[in-house]
Amino acid sequence: MQVGNNTVNEALIADVVSEVLKRLDQSRPASPVALSPVNISTDVSTAAGSHGIFSSVDDAVRAAAAAQRQLMDTSVEARGRAVECIRRVMRRDKEELGRIEFEETKLGKLAHKFEKLELAAGVPGLEMLKTEATSGDHGLTVTEFAPYGVIGVVTPVTHSVPTLGCNAIMMIAAGNALVCNPHPSGAKCAVEATRRFNRELHGEIGIDNLVCVIENPTIESATALFKHPGTPMLCATGGPGVAHAALTAGKRAVVAGPGNPPVVVDETADIEKAASGIIAGAAYDNNLLCIGEKEVFVVETVAEPLLGAMERSGGHRLSKDEIDRLAQKVVYKDEESGHWIARKEFVGKDPQVLAEVIGLRIGPDVQILFGLTDESNPLLPCEQMMPVLPMVMARNVDDAIRLAVKYEHGFKHTAVMWSRNVENLTRMGKAANTTLYVKNGPSSAGLGVGGQGYGSFSIATPTGEGITSPLSFTRYRRCTMVDSLRIF
Ligand code: NAD
C-alpha cells in the first residue's frame, strides 16, 4: 500500500531506524558481553596436568572450555560418573577438606564443616534433567536442557568448599565446566578440593580441568572472570558487593546474594519447639549460613515464655545492657553507605569469644547468646553472622510481621515463622515475599535438613532461580521434527 509521498516516507523510516540503532547502542553495557557465539581457543598445552589450578583467568577459561568440549563428546552415562566423582571426594575426604577449610578461614565449627560437605555432596544431579516431549499431527518436539559452556563462579568464605562442590555437581550435571574465583581467605581449601576433584575426574572419565580455580584470587581476577568472553554465564554467591558486580556484568547471571533472615513468633506458636528450632538454626556453624536466623520478633504475650525456653535449649540470655554493649563492639557503621557491618574478627566465632568481649564467662556448652532489646540495637539491621540473636517484643502479630519485613531489607532471601494460625502464616508469607519461607522449623529445614526438598549452597535471590539445581545452569533447547512421528 502506498500512502502519500514516497520520499517523505523513506526519510521518516530512515530517521526511525537511526533512532532505534542509537538507543540500542546506548542500552548496551560498557563491558564486553558474551551474548553472541564466541570462539575460544581450546589449546591447553600450557594447562596440561594442572588439575584445574591456574594463576591466570585466561588460561583457566581456555582449559575449562577444552574440558567442556570433551564432556560434550562423552556419553551422558560418563557425565553421571563425573558427578559421582565430585560427590565421592566430598564424602570420602570431608574430614581432611573440612579441617583444611576450618584452619584456613578460622570461621564456624569444625564438626559443621564435615556436615556441610555431606549436605553439598547430596545436591541433585542428572536426575533433574528430564527431557520434555510433545507429539501430534505435526510431528514431534522435544525440549532438552543444553549447557552454557564455561560458567564463571564466585564463592563465599563462609562455605568455600561446600559451595564449590555443590556448584560443580550441578553445573557438570548440566554439561558445563566451571572456573571459580574463590574468596581470597578461603582459596587454599578451594585449590585443594579442585585438585582432588580433577584427579578423581581424570581417573574416572579421562577429563582434566572440568573444575578450575584461580590460585591467588583477587577482586581484579573476579572482574576479569566476569568480563571474559569465554564465560557466557556467571554464578555469584556472596554479599552485596559481588551480587551487584554480577548483576551488572552484562551477561546471564545466577546471583545468590545476602540475607538477614528474621523470625516471627506469635501467640499461637508451640513455644518449646520454637525455642529449640530457633537455636538450632541460628547456632549452626556459629550463624555463618545466609539462611540462619539473625533476629527475632516475638509477640509480647509470649516473650517471657520464649526467652525461658531458649535458656533451657542451650542459649545464654543477655540483659538489654549486655546485648547493646556487645553490639557496639562487634559491628560498626560504614559511613559511606550508612550500613551496619560485622567486624571480621568476630564473624563465625564461638559464643564464648563474644561473651568475653563484654566481660562475661559462659560455659562451653552454650550455643548462642540472645537477649531482648529494641530497634536502636544495630545487630538488627546487620547481617552479623555471629551466634548472637537480638530479640524485640512486638505488640501483636502484625507489628511483628512489619518489623520482620523491615529488617529483611527486601533481600527476598529467607524468613521464618512459628505459629499455629494459618492466616497469620499466610500474611507473613505474602508480606515477606522471600525465596525461602520456613514455617514451624529451623531455617535449615528449607534446605531439606529436617524438611522436604533438596538443598543447595547457592540460593539465587535477586535473579529468582531460588534453591539452585542443575536446571538453573541450562538453556532450554527445542528440537522439532516435522510430520511422521505421531504414533498414538
Ligand atoms: P563477600 O561478599 O565478602 O565475598 C563473596 C565473594 O565475592 C568472594 O569470593 C569475594 O572475593 C567476592 N567479591 C566481593 N566483592 C566483589 C566484587 N565487587 N566483585 C567481584 N567479586 C567480589 O561475602 P562472604 O563474606 O564471603 O560471604 C558471606 C555473604 O555471602 C553473606 O552476605 C551471605 O548472606 C552471602 N551468602 C549468600 C548465599 C546464598 O546462597 N544466597 C550463600 C552463602 C553466602
Side-chain angles (χ1 to χ4, degrees), residues 313-392:
S313 301
H316 178 91
R317 182 172 179 172
L318 300 177
S319 66
K320 179 170 186 316
D321 173 63
E322 286 170 336
I323 197 163
D324 289 351
R325 276 196 294 120
L326 180 62
Q328 294 307 325
K329 306 260 185 189
V330 297
V331 302
Y332 68 96
K333 192 171 195 168
D334 175 50
E335 290 308 334
E336 205 182 314
S337 65
H339 295 157
W340 289 93
I341 314 281
R343 289 195 187 279
K344 275 206 170 80
E345 62 269 37
F346 299 114
V347 168
K349 293 293 179 272
D350 290 336
Q352 291 72 16
V353 173
L354 300 184
E356 267 177 36
V357 170
I358 49 168
L360 285 181
R361 275 181 167 265
I362 56 172
D365 295 334
V366 171
Q367 297 179 52
I368 197 159
L369 308 175
F370 66 91
L372 272 183
T373 181
D374 58 29
E375 282 195 78
S376 65
N377 189 307
L379 286 171
L380 288 179
C382 181
E383 188 195 14
Q384 81 272 22
M385 293 182 283
M386 298 170 203
V388 52
L389 266 181
M391 301 176 62
V392 171

Side-chain angles (χ1 to χ4, degrees), residues 118-119 122-124 289 291 436-438 442-457 459 467:
E118 276 282 350
L119 180 64
V123 301
L289 269 67
I291 60 165
L436 262 188
Y437 175 33
V438 179
S443 54
S444 49
L447 294 187
V449 182
Q452 286 298 125
Y454 63 88
S456 168
F457 275 80
I459 300 156
I467 317 301

